[in-house]
Amino acid sequence: ITARIFGVAARASAGLLAGGRIAAHPSPSAATAHQLAAASRSWSLTTLRPMSTGKLDLIKQLREESSAPVTEVKAALEESDWDIEKAHVVLRKRGIAQAEKKASKRTAAEGLVSAAASEDGTVAALVEVNCETDFVSRNDAFQQLVGQAARALLNSAEGGGAASSPVSGSEILELPAEGGSTIGEALTNVGLGIREKLQVRRGMVMAAERGVVSTYLHMSQAPGVGSIGAVVALEASSKGDVEGDRTSKVAEIGRKVAMHVAASDPRFLCEASVPEEVVEAEKEVLRNQPGVSEKPANIVEKMITGRLNKFFKQVTLLNQPFVMDDSVSVEDFVKREGKALGIQGLAVTQFGRFKVGDGIERAAEE
């Protein structure tokens, strides 16, 4: 900088500036040169001083640990007087505020489903976590978060005496996460780096007292996560029928049925599980079809019975044609495979299915 100042002064004294002739000026005195040099040194020290290596290391460390943008990392460290633990707290508070602001304006309809199962195969958990864009569902940190939520729900179910039940997203957020935090805190930390609205939407736990629970993830983008998750419980008449070598074989039968569930999307397990109001609504639709009302009552009832049977084959898991062998129903497939293993009465007793974003409505502007 000093050299540039003296260079300009020298050119001015020679009367040459930008190629034009100007009146010559006397060269700067020693005092003037000293003042210019001192000013340039002062300016360079206050304005161009590089950040200390220690602070750069702190920024790098906090950036890697939080995945937050560099500008926010630096601001949090400055606010906390370069105390990295306090800076983490600052970032989390900002992340929560930003998440709450986004939650009121945006729809999270993308995301992933994760499944986790116990070592003995008797309990499994299914969890759906949503984000705003499909791009984020391919993010490693997001995928790990979804898997962690499923494992946390499984651990909670095993520790509290597993029972099949749906679980709300708010309940899952309170569960302990890996590393000593909660799933809610883990979600906030991941959200700091992803910069999208994230939400744990729902979960379910399934347990089998006399058999196994099998899972399947469709369109899996990474181990343990997918776009559709299915879980199926297969149980025998006696608990001792599904033990030893049979356990893994029954689990494989269940996995095939879970694949069917993912592909066919049954609404109910069997005819008996279809609510009466659903059956009556279907009957009313059939009665109002063109030409039906003109027929005798006994003929109409026979038509309704026949069409209801077709309806049950479409919406109930046990009556659906099995996707891998449509010559048999799912119920008959399981019975056949069970008999081949020497197990009498093997049957599907429960099932569940999560599809990412199913039932979520986006705003028109989104």
Side-chain angles (χ1 to χ4, degrees), residues 150-165:
R151 291 191 296 273
L153 181 55
L154 175 66
N155 293 338
S156 174
E158 289 186 299
S164 300
S165 63

Side-chain angles (χ1 to χ4, degrees), residues 6-25:
F6 281 123
V8 171
R11 287 194 298 273
S13 66
L16 298 173
L17 184 63
R21 304 286 301 177
I22 61 173
H25 292 277

Side-chain angles (χ1 to χ4, degrees), residues 14 17 29-30 32-33 57 103-104 106 115 120 125 130 137 145 154 156 183 199 205 208 244 258 274 301 335 337 365:
L17 184 63
S29 65
T32 302
D57 289 341
S104 63
R106 301 180 183 177
D120 63 2
N130 300 119
S137 67
L145 170 69
L154 175 66
S156 174
I183 294 297
Q199 68 175 17
V205 172
V274 181
E301 287 305 312
K335 285 181 179 179
E337 297 300 305
E365 58 270 19

Side-chain angles (χ1 to χ4, degrees), residues 78-307:
E78 289 175 343
E79 182 177 328
S80 58
D81 197 24
W82 298 92
D83 185 318
I84 195 165
E85 295 302 324
K86 292 180 180 178
H88 269 295
V89 175
V90 171
L91 284 175
R92 281 197 293 270
K93 288 181 178 178
R94 290 179 180 175
I96 293 171
Q98 291 168 356
E100 290 176 347
K101 183 178 180 180
K102 292 175 183 177
S104 63
K105 296 181 179 180
R106 301 180 183 177
T107 302
E110 300 293 337
L112 291 169
V113 174
S114 182
S118 61
E119 289 186 8
D120 63 2
T122 60
V123 186
L126 206 61
V127 170
E128 177 186 355
V129 182
N130 300 119
C131 54
E132 295 175 47
T133 63
D134 181 61
F135 175 78
V136 166
S137 67
R138 297 190 292 272
N139 179 282
D140 289 341
F142 181 74
Q143 292 173 352
Q144 291 171 13
L145 170 69
V146 182
Q148 187 175 172
R151 291 191 296 273
L153 181 55
L154 175 66
N155 293 338
S156 174
E158 289 186 299
S164 300
S165 63
V167 184
S168 68
S170 58
E171 292 176 279
I172 296 172
L173 290 175
E174 299 297 325
L175 295 176
E178 297 160 9
S181 61
T182 65
I183 294 297
E185 291 170 338
L187 182 139
T188 299
N189 290 336
V190 173
L192 283 170
I194 289 178
R195 316 291 288 174
E196 280 195 8
K197 175 184 176 181
L198 306 180
Q199 68 175 17
V200 178
R201 183 186 182 195
R202 54 182 173 170
M204 73 162 58
V205 172
M206 188 169 291
E209 294 182 2
R210 305 183 310 277
V212 297
V213 180
S214 299
T215 63
Y216 172 72
L217 292 166
H218 185 60
M219 298 176 66
S220 182
Q221 299 186 19
V225 295
S227 297
I228 300 175
V231 58
V232 170
L234 260 61
E235 298 186 81
S237 302
S238 172
K239 186 175 182 179
D241 287 343
V242 185
E243 289 183 345
D245 294 340
R246 289 176 174 176
T247 303
S248 60
K249 294 177 180 178
V250 172
E252 182 57 26
I253 297 171
R255 183 176 180 276
K256 291 178 180 178
V257 177
M259 292 174 68
H260 172 98
V261 170
S264 301
D265 189 19
R267 293 169 58 189
F268 310 101
L269 178 63
C270 59
E271 293 180 26
S273 62
V274 181
E276 187 60 31
E277 58 269 22
V278 174
V279 175
E280 288 302 318
E282 189 64 22
K283 286 182 178 180
E284 191 63 25
V285 170
L286 295 172
R287 289 191 186 101
N288 291 327
Q289 288 186 351
V292 173
S293 59
E294 301 170 2
K295 298 182 183 296
N298 63 324
I299 300 298
V300 171
E301 287 305 312
K302 287 182 179 179
M303 292 176 61
I304 288 175
T305 299
R307 293 184 183 182

